[in-house]
Amino acid sequence: MGHKGANQKPPQKRLFVALMGVTCLLVVGLIYLGWYIPTMGLANIHPDLPRVVGMVFAVLSGIAVLGTALLVLTTALGKDILGTKFMRGVVIKFLLPLIEQIGKLCGISKDTIRQSFVAMNNSLVISQRLKINADRILILLPHCLQLAECEIKVTGEIDKCLRCGRCDIMGLADLARKYNIDISVATGGTLARKVIIEKRPKLVLAVACERDLTSGIKDCYPLPVIGVLNDRPFGPCFNTRVDVDKIDAALRSVLA
């Protein structure tokens, strides 16, 4: 079988941005309904109360629209306009679950939305123009990147790799050595979290599938994570691949 990534288009953030706009409109609509429905009852309490409550809801709607506009501008311009770290938190904790539900109603698969979310997250992290020393960056890899038949298991110690070149571990190990960056291979989310706690990096560059990257980005917040999707020519969790050049480019964008 061929390398799935050879002709695969990179994930685009525009789907997530579009769904984010739809979510913003729905939130504004709900805010309006929250004001309109009880207006008559409020007027009976005090004639000015509907106007006061209306102003509060208008401010909330304005915040929703402004926040969405700032996110779109930040990703479009690639520049930290205002509080990118906080906006990443809003996207991760609040917008992503809503957008996944809206996507489900529209018949869009979770993995497609997650791909777009990872691209959006990467854009927000890079827009912060972070410059981090190599010794404070961690490359985190899934164990399925290693050839399943390989007798040398590199989990926990990638330098055990014999550099046979039959999987992408060799290229990644050489890349980590080139930049003198810590690299770890994890067998699951629990071990990945343990490694991050032990290493205490300032930035993580993670390779994984859509589900694991999304959950990893959520679990690590506010720690910045740049995610790179692996390719799965033989199915999930078995002899997966990754474009080493993508890892190299991502590293160069954040290295001090």
Side-chain angles (χ1 to χ4, degrees):
M1 292 182 72
H3 193 322
K4 181 183 172 185
N7 299 309
Q8 187 183 39
K9 290 183 179 179
Q12 300 293 322
K13 59 196 172 195
R14 70 186 78 173
L15 171 64
F16 197 85
V17 171
L19 288 172
M20 197 165 59
V22 172
T23 303
C24 174
L25 290 175
L26 286 173
V27 169
V28 170
L30 288 171
I31 290 170
Y32 175 76
L33 284 174
W35 164 78
Y36 179 77
I37 292 171
T39 294
M40 294 303 293
L42 291 172
N44 292 331
I45 298 170
H46 193 281
D48 291 333
L49 203 52
R51 181 171 57 85
V52 172
V53 174
M55 288 175 65
V56 171
F57 280 109
V59 169
L60 292 175
S61 298
I63 290 171
V65 172
L66 181 62
T68 302
L70 282 172
L71 277 169
V72 173
L73 282 173
T74 300
T75 55
L77 299 175
K79 188 182 294 185
D80 187 355
I81 297 173
L82 185 65
T84 300
K85 183 191 286 190
F86 172 75
M87 289 195 292
R88 274 186 67 234
V90 172
V91 170
I92 292 167
K93 305 289 186 183
F94 174 68
L95 285 179
L96 178 61
L98 274 177
I99 286 171
E100 283 183 338
Q101 292 305 313
I102 291 168
K104 185 178 180 181
L105 292 173
C106 296
I108 303 170
S109 72
K110 272 191 175 182
D111 277 351
T112 301
I113 291 172
R114 286 166 178 165
Q115 286 176 12
S116 192
F117 162 73
V118 171
M120 176 81 173
N121 170 78
N122 291 352
S123 182
L124 288 172
V125 171
I126 292 168
S127 74
Q128 291 179 255
R129 306 288 175 93
L130 300 169
K131 291 300 173 188
I132 299 172
N133 291 331
D135 62 349
R136 300 308 306 275
I137 296 174
L138 171 67
I139 299 176
L140 198 55
L141 307 174
H143 71 284
C144 56
L145 279 174
Q146 185 180 18
L147 198 69
E149 307 90 76
C150 186
E151 294 180 359
I152 308 296
K153 297 305 175 187
V154 298
T155 304
E157 197 175 337
I158 199 168
D159 281 334
K160 290 179 181 177
C161 176
L162 297 177
R163 309 299 205 270
C164 68
R166 292 188 296 161
C167 68
D168 292 324
I169 292 291
M170 182 187 81
L172 292 164
D174 289 343
L175 193 66
R177 182 175 291 179
K178 172 185 172 183
Y179 292 114
N180 195 27
I181 286 176
D182 212 348
I183 188 165
S184 293
V185 180
T187 53
T190 302
L191 183 57
R193 284 188 287 274
K194 183 173 180 287
V195 169
I196 290 170
I197 291 168
E198 289 175 355
K199 305 284 187 182
R200 298 175 64 85
K202 285 191 173 180
L203 181 137
V204 175
L205 202 160
V207 177
C209 62
E210 294 87 349
R211 184 192 64 188
D212 289 350
L213 273 183
T214 300
S215 63
I217 290 168
K218 288 195 289 187
D219 290 345
C220 286
Y221 180 81
L223 179 68
V225 177
I226 294 177
V228 178
L229 290 164
N230 60 4
D231 295 321
R232 301 174 289 279
F234 305 104
C237 301
F238 182 78
N239 289 349
T240 60
R241 307 294 303 272
V242 71
D243 188 341
V244 178
D245 289 338
K246 286 182 181 177
I247 308 293
D248 197 346
L251 282 174
R252 283 186 278 108
S253 72
V254 294
L255 272 170

